[in-house]
Each structure stands twice: as structure tokens, then as C-alpha cells.
Amino acid sequence: MGTTTGRRHRTGTTHGLRWLTVVLVMALAPALAACTSGSAGAGAVTTPTARATPTVRATPTVRATPTLEPERDVVVAGRHLKARCAGSGPSVVLVADYGLAMDDAWGTIPQTLATRGRVCVYDRLGIGRSDSVPDRQTFASLADDLDGVISGLGLTRPVVVLGLAMGAPIVLTWMSRHESDAKAVVLLDPVPPGYFGPTGALLRLLPPKDPSDPELGSVWADLGRFSAVATNKESLDPTSWTAYERLPVTSTPLYDLVGAQVQPWPAAVDGSKIDGVWRQYQRRVLALSSQAELRIVPKPDDWPATIRSTLERALQS
């Protein structure tokens, strides 16, 4: 599911998790910077979503984009995780998608968002320059690592945590265990409870394996590798998906940002049906908070301004 600037690099479950196109967000980082600064110049992006949020007010003066600081080593339970931060003010932590290093996942997004707070990113175990992945991980252990990174970086709590795609189960698990430390969570195209895993809806929606259809076979092969601890890049225990479905409800403000576009699938797959289930299951994400809000992002170009306005709303929570 990783991406790098200018191209898509498929690893693991590109089709399986219906992930946000990170390369697009990276390409639009200059526009996000303009939005974040409050500039009304040519680079500024406005959307109906942003305009519908009257509590978000543009800053009348342009702020210089903070520089991303040198990489830091954070020790959590005896293991070393790498992290970087930018800016000052309220604490914001970004949690990347499956298998993505912090530099590949976010581009210049941390710097542009850092005009509003202390924004930090990190590499999970087995990713980037952090220590090797243990034999088995769960969303609970990944949430513990997230909390350790927050403490190790000396971030002021409560914290706004932003999760991308499969970063969402980690963020939501952390939220359920540290409600008083969670100022708000912002999720970008989150994988919803009940959608993925050994008993998830996705496996029931896919056509059976067909030796004559190599593209469909590739989807099944990707899902098989992801579902086995030994071949999963982050050694994720498949039972984690069941635990994800049983998270308790909290009162933490939750913002669920979902793209309007239907993701591409092989011809044999009913992409519109899968997309419909994906959207229906977003209700399960919203049900995890008594203060939840769904925001549909109409067009790819609308992501930067929507992220910016939602973060500002989260910081005001």
C-alpha cells in the first residue's frame, strides 16, 4: 500500500484496504500550505466542506512553514522508534498507513500543518529506520507504541491524533485506552470495523479465485499475504481485527474524512458494491464516539483544505 511521489507502489493490500491516495496528498502539499497559512493567493484551496465549518477562521497573516527537525530516537519498551517533529503549540501526531515510512506517507504535510501546532510523525517497528518488527503485533501493542512515542517525545497531552487508512485502527484503539489524553482524532479514509480480517465483509464480497483471471488472483494473493503473520510486513495478528470490532465508545471528538471517489478494482469485482459496503461501515467508525462527524471529500483536490479545516476544528475541541 505504499506510495512514492509520482507513482503508486503496490505492497500488501492496495485493493483490500481501499486506501487514500497518499501520492495525491503529497502532490497537493503546496496547496495545503497556502490554506494553512490563510493566504488568499493563487495556491489557496477552498471547498464546500471548509466553507461549511464556520468555526474555522483563516489567520490574517501568513506564517512561515516550520522546518522539520532532525530525526529523533524514541525508546519504547526497549525498542527504538524513529520520529520527527515540526512547529510548536498543541500536540498533533500523524499515524501512517500500513507499511509506510513517515517520509513516504506524508511528504511535506507535517511541516505545513505545523503552523498550527507541534506536529510529529514516526516509523512503527519494522518500518523505515525503526527497530525490526517483533514476531507478532496487535492493534493494542501498536497503540501502546503510539502512546510511548507521545511520551518519549515529551508532547503535551491531550493530543490530536490523525490516522491514515490502516493507521485508523491503531488510533482508535489508542483512543479507547487513553480517552483523557485524546483531544480529538481525525481519520483519513479509515479502514472500518468489520470490513477487513478473516471474518470481514471484504472476503465475502470478492468473487471466488479464478485461475484464468490473474488480476483477481493478485488481489487474493495480496490478501493472503496480509492475513498471515509471517508474511505481513508489520507482523499483524489477524485476531486484531476482531478486537477492533469490540472497542468501547468514548466521548472523544472524532472526524471521519472519506473520499467520494470509487476505488479501482479488477473487472471481475463489483467495485461499486464494495464501495457501498465501505461507506456503510463508516457508521461503525462514527459509532465509536458520541461526538463523531463524517466529512465527505468531494474531489481529490479538496483533500488539503478539508484536512486543514478539520485539524483546526479538532484543535478547538
Side-chain angles (χ1 to χ4, degrees):
M1 225 168 336
T3 59
T4 52
T5 304
R7 64 183 178 89
R8 291 187 180 184
H9 174 62
R10 297 178 183 269
T11 62
T13 53
T14 300
H15 289 296
L17 295 182
R18 190 194 179 277
W19 51 287
L20 173 66
T21 309
V22 184
V23 63
L24 176 65
V25 179
M26 292 167 61
L28 294 176
L32 177 58
C35 290
T36 307
S37 69
S39 171
V45 177
T46 59
T47 69
T49 302
R51 288 196 295 270
T53 310
T55 56
V56 177
R57 291 180 289 275
T59 304
T61 58
V62 176
R63 302 181 183 182
T65 301
T67 302
L68 197 63
E69 298 165 7
E71 185 175 271
R72 293 177 58 179
D73 183 73
V74 181
V75 181
V76 180
R79 294 179 181 268
H80 297 257
L81 295 91
K82 304 303 181 181
R84 303 186 74 178
C85 299
S88 60
S91 303
V92 181
V93 179
L94 311 185
V95 180
D97 195 3
Y98 168 74
L100 286 186
M102 54 184 167
D103 295 336
D104 295 332
W106 305 109
T108 59
I109 296 300
Q111 298 96 304
T112 54
L113 293 180
T115 59
R116 291 293 183 263
R118 177 73 170 163
V119 179
C120 298
V121 294
Y122 71 102
D123 285 339
R124 296 192 289 271
L125 295 173
I127 306 299
R129 292 172 292 278
S130 291
D131 277 358
S132 60
V133 66
D135 292 339
R136 188 177 297 268
Q137 296 196 109
T138 64
F139 290 135
S141 68
L142 290 165
D144 288 342
D145 286 347
L146 167 59
D147 195 67
V149 169
I150 293 171
S151 295
L153 291 173
L155 297 179
T156 302
R157 302 182 190 232
V159 182
V160 172
V161 185
L162 187 152
L164 169 61
M166 205 196 80
I170 300 171
V171 171
L172 292 169
T173 302
W174 175 82
M175 179 186 78
S176 72
R177 298 154 69 98
H178 300 276
E179 184 173 0
S180 63
D181 294 325
K183 185 175 183 66
V185 299
V186 179
L187 308 175
L188 311 182
D189 254 354
V191 180
Y195 176 83
F196 202 69
T199 61
L202 177 62
L203 296 184
R204 300 192 297 271
L205 293 169
L206 288 176
K209 298 177 183 178
D210 182 354
S212 66
D213 188 338
E215 193 172 22
L216 177 61
S218 177
V219 172
W220 277 108
D222 282 348
L223 293 173
R225 285 190 291 270
F226 185 83
S227 299
V229 175
T231 53
N232 184 291
K233 188 172 184 178
E234 298 195 40
S235 298
L236 182 66
D237 188 328
T239 62
S240 298
W241 296 102
T242 302
Y244 180 37
E245 294 183 58
R246 299 172 178 170
L247 293 179
V249 178
T250 77
S251 59
T252 302
L254 184 157
Y255 302 90
D256 183 1
L257 279 54
V258 179
Q261 290 71 39
V262 176
Q263 301 299 299
W265 287 85
V269 178
D270 187 343
S272 60
K273 184 175 183 180
I274 290 179
D275 188 74
V277 171
W278 173 278
R279 296 180 188 284
Q280 177 186 349
Y281 276 35
Q282 293 301 318
R283 298 174 186 172
R284 301 186 178 195
V285 175
L286 300 173
L288 292 175
S289 170
S290 60
Q291 300 185 65
E293 178 180 327
L294 176 67
R295 291 189 169 191
I296 301 299
V297 184
K299 304 185 301 295
D301 286 354
D302 295 333
W303 274 103
T306 306
I307 295 171
R308 183 270 303 170
S309 66
T310 306
L311 179 62
E312 292 216 4
R313 180 83 170 267
L315 288 171
Q316 295 171 8
S317 299

